[in-house]
Amino acid sequence: MKRTKISDLLKGKGLGEKVMANGWVRTFRNDMFIALNDGSSIKNLQCVTHEGQNLKLYAGTCICVEGTLKESQGKGQDYELVTDSVTILGEADPAQYPLQPKEHSLEFLREIAHLRIRTNLFGAVMRVRSTLAQGVHKFFAERGFYYFNAPIITGSDCEGAGEMFGVSVLPHADAPKDENGAVDFSKDFFARQTNLTVSGQLEAETYAMALGQVYTFGPTFRAENSNTSRHLAEFWMIEPEVAFADLEDNMELGESFIKYVIGYAMEHCADDIAFLDARFAKEESKKPTAERSDMGLTEKLNFILHNDFKRVSYTEAIDILLNSKAQKKGKFKYPVEGWGMDLQSEHERYLVEKHFGCPVILYDYPSEIKAFYMRQNEDGKTVRAMDILFPGIGEIIGGSQREERMDVLMKKVNDLGMDEKTLWWYLDTRRFGSAPHSGFGLGFERLVMFVTGMGNIRDVIPFPRYPQNAEF
Ligand code: ATP
Ligand code: MG
């Protein structure tokens, strides 16, 4: 007999017929009712066993059941499988299996990331993650974008922040040295210094200058020692790059993109999001009243779908922050110093959560705090940058209109003391057929956090990488 997926059986597929299901036992109640899950749905299939089958079933056991799908007499499910036979495919010794049918802390579950996916919570989060990823590709396909794969090993440091993981095959202990005593990378695998990419943007720009509209969706690495709930050392980034697009177009793209993928997940993961909504409400109720979210999860998602993002210049934002109650009462951990400062996450969240009460797009940042490739404004002080800020998350998108004027870009590169030689291919885009263009980077995990209501980025990626941790 061929197996039927539990998601189909739950809809009544095969009603009245002999069917077969495979899955892992979640619970075995009263020595009679098996709650069976095969990953196809957050909901379990109830399998009714009968005396004489003499079953010893524990949470985690993998089984194959055959029987008849019937309308259920009991509450809680429409259909159930009345079993003829139950075959054990893989035992799970209850004395050793770490997952018990009770609530475990997220910290504990992180230590068993290879098994946490068998919980309702992680099943829901990872199904939503997968669906969001498919929504990403669908959105860009519908808009005529090409999917572009940026290299993961690269010789360039896009962000200029220097927070990179080196890639080398030289021996650690006695690496070859040059005459100055520095490591001689000409003896290395690539005959040069290389690292894991921090962004695929520079390479994507070269493709936008031929294909018009491209996007990357791939892993990115940052060796930043940020032990926060929003930073990972390995995360996935989505980076569209569009020729003939200015900053306004870029903002429109970012806003439409977020709305589309959130709507896509809500449509395709309704059961999972309903579960996550209930969990979110429970978690919020444990917090002190002042810290509670005033909206439920589904409510927050709907709010994003149906409201325009507020567009505010960096200069206006600084004024708002300087005049805020939080600033005057000394509530910020990092007091607002004034124009020119980089905003801290607490400032971003103040603007979004307290002042505007909606997602905010901040634009025209001081050039000093932004990357070299952003387009200089006429005022000489600011660049055409934009960040999209989200409630509970802070920055979710960072983007800009790119500097397409060769002379202005070269001046920036020189002023910053950057190495022109390693950037020759990037500068060629400006040398040959340069065009106005824009793009942004969205941290995929921050999006997954928002949609699932999870509070820590380590719980929305299968095997998180962060300082002191690369288990699995
Ligand atoms: P932050 O200020 O939060 O560190 P950033 O300014 O360094 O962000 P960008 O370089 O603009 O971020 O990267 C684009 C997007 O990638 C960010 O908007 C964010 O969503 C995501 N991102 C950046 N760093 C990380 C990280 N370490 N882990 C997960 N996502 C990240
Ligand atoms: Mg950063």
Side-chain angles (χ1 to χ4, degrees):
M1 202 185 298
K2 257 182 89 177
R3 95 167 167 120
T4 308
K5 273 200 291 186
I6 287 178
S7 55
D8 290 330
L9 295 170
L10 291 170
K11 288 181 213 138
K13 187 179 172 193
L15 183 63
E17 295 166 21
K18 293 283 179 201
V19 294
M20 176 182 138
N22 289 165
W24 293 268
V25 174
R26 284 294 170 78
T27 57
F28 185 37
R29 193 163 46 87
N30 298 345
D31 278 346
M32 186 164 179
F33 300 105
I34 309 169
L36 193 66
N37 195 285
D38 69 355
S40 61
S41 168
I42 183 134
K43 294 187 180 144
N44 301 322
L45 176 71
Q46 169 152 293
C47 304
V48 189
T49 66
H50 52 82
E51 275 173 49
Q53 280 177 315
N54 252 332
L55 294 164
K56 290 237 174 332
L57 296 175
Y58 304 101
T61 308
C62 185
I63 58 173
C64 170
V65 291
E66 292 185 38
T68 312
L69 189 69
K70 296 196 169 157
E71 274 177 27
S72 176
Q73 306 304 312
K75 278 196 219 124
Q77 64 277 319
D78 293 337
Y79 306 101
E80 62 191 15
L81 200 160
V82 178
T83 63
D84 297 330
S85 70
V86 177
T87 315
I88 293 182
L89 302 180
E91 312 244 16
D93 179 355
Q96 293 185 46
Y97 187 57
L99 283 177
Q100 293 305 318
K102 61 160 196 174
E103 214 172 302
H104 294 289
S105 76
L106 294 174
E107 289 75 14
F108 170 72
L109 290 172
R110 245 169 254 152
E111 290 167 19
I112 50 163
H114 61 305
L115 294 174
R116 68 177 181 175
I117 186 57
R118 299 187 187 189
T119 62
N120 279 337
L121 177 59
F122 282 89
V125 169
M126 294 306 161
R127 274 187 298 269
V128 170
R129 181 182 167 107
S130 167
T131 304
L132 280 168
Q134 280 154 358
V136 167
H137 288 298
K138 201 148 181 289
F139 171 84
F140 287 118
E142 281 175 16
R143 288 203 174 203
F145 279 66
Y146 298 104
Y147 180 32
F148 160 75
N149 303 113
I152 289 174
I153 300 174
T154 150
S156 64
D157 173 10
C158 171
E159 293 304 303
E163 293 163 328
M164 298 176 298
F165 290 100
V167 175
S168 170
V169 296
L170 294 177
H172 281 281
D174 52 345
K177 301 276 162 58
D178 62 17
E179 59 269 28
N180 303 320
V183 174
D184 184 2
F185 286 104
S186 70
K187 303 262 169 20
D188 207 345
F189 190 92
F190 296 109
R192 58 176 299 161
Q193 195 169 359
T194 51
N195 48 267
L196 295 178
T197 185
V198 293
S199 159
Q201 179 198 319
L202 302 189
E203 289 89 353
E205 281 186 54
T206 70
Y207 264 57
M209 289 299 107
L211 297 180
Q213 323 184 84
V214 299
Y215 70 103
T216 73
F217 185 3
T220 352
F221 308 84
R222 295 197 184 172
E224 48 191 1
N225 211 344
S226 333
N227 249 314
T228 77
S229 56
R230 295 167 299 104
H231 289 90
L232 288 164
E234 176 180 302
F235 64 101
W236 286 64
M237 188 136 71
I238 295 148
E239 297 179 279
E241 200 61 48
V242 191
F244 318 116
D246 63 13
L247 195 69
E248 297 289 316
D249 301 322
N250 207 23
M251 293 186 201
E252 188 282 321
L253 183 68
E255 182 168 345
S256 311
F257 170 74
I258 293 184
K259 287 180 171 169
Y260 181 97
V261 291
I262 290 180
Y264 189 83
M266 290 178 85
E267 189 188 331
H268 292 87
C269 290
D271 287 347
D272 290 313
I273 290 179
F275 171 86
L276 292 164
D277 181 272
R279 177 202 173 260
F280 183 79
K282 203 167 132 209
E283 290 301 308
E284 288 300 303
S285 71
K286 293 180 195 160
K287 294 184 184 167
T289 330
E291 286 170 32
R292 270 180 220 165
S293 161
D294 43 12
M295 282 190 227
L297 179 63
T298 312
E299 214 179 336
K300 280 206 298 177
L301 299 177
N302 276 318
F303 183 85
I304 299 291
L305 295 190
H306 301 120
N307 285 281
D308 290 339
F309 296 5
K310 179 88 187 158
R311 300 180 185 193
V312 188
S313 75
Y314 166 91
T315 305
E316 288 170 75
I318 289 289
D319 282 343
I320 292 169
L321 289 169
L322 282 174
N323 292 313
S324 67
K325 274 205 196 116
Q327 169 81 355
K328 289 182 177 151
K329 291 190 177 162
K331 289 269 171 66
F332 288 131
K333 191 168 157 225
Y334 300 92
V336 181
E337 292 151 14
W339 203 93
M341 70 175 288
D342 208 351
L343 297 183
Q344 297 288 333
S345 169
E346 58 174 340
H347 305 138
E348 297 175 341
R349 291 184 57 177
Y350 177 88
L351 292 168
V352 172
E353 290 160 31
K354 298 277 186 312
H355 190 83
F356 290 110
C358 68
V360 172
I361 311 185
L362 282 192
Y363 61 91
D364 285 352
Y365 281 74
S367 36
E368 250 93 277
I369 58 170
K370 288 291 182 186
F372 78 98
Y373 50 71
M374 298 190 180
R375 194 178 200 280
Q376 192 73 50
N377 276 315
E378 301 309 314
D379 63 11
K381 298 191 304 189
T382 59
V383 286
R384 300 247 76 192
M386 65 125 188
D387 281 2
I388 300 190
L389 313 178
F390 254 47
I393 307 267
E395 178 183 335
I396 191 162
I397 279 185
S400 66
Q401 183 169 341
R402 317 308 189 189
E403 183 56 78
E404 85 282 12
R405 298 162 295 186
M406 185 59 165
D407 50 337
V408 185
L409 186 63
M410 275 312 291
K411 187 170 176 319
K412 205 57 173 286
V413 166
N414 291 327
D415 287 352
L416 291 172
M418 295 175 69
D419 187 3
E420 238 179 85
K421 276 197 253 88
T422 59
L423 275 179
W424 67 275
W425 53 272
Y426 181 72
L427 297 169
D428 267 0
T429 55
R430 275 58 170 181
R431 238 173 237 129
F432 308 123
S434 189
H437 62 290
S438 298
F440 62 77
L442 172 136
F444 185 53
E445 284 74 21
R446 295 205 186 160
L447 177 70
V448 183
M449 279 176 84
F450 186 77
V451 177
T452 58
M454 298 297 281
N456 193 316
I457 199 164
R458 296 171 186 180
D459 298 326
V460 298
I461 188 165
F463 296 102
R465 301 290 180 243
Y466 49 93
Q468 314 285 316
N469 201 297
E471 192 65 55
F472 309 104

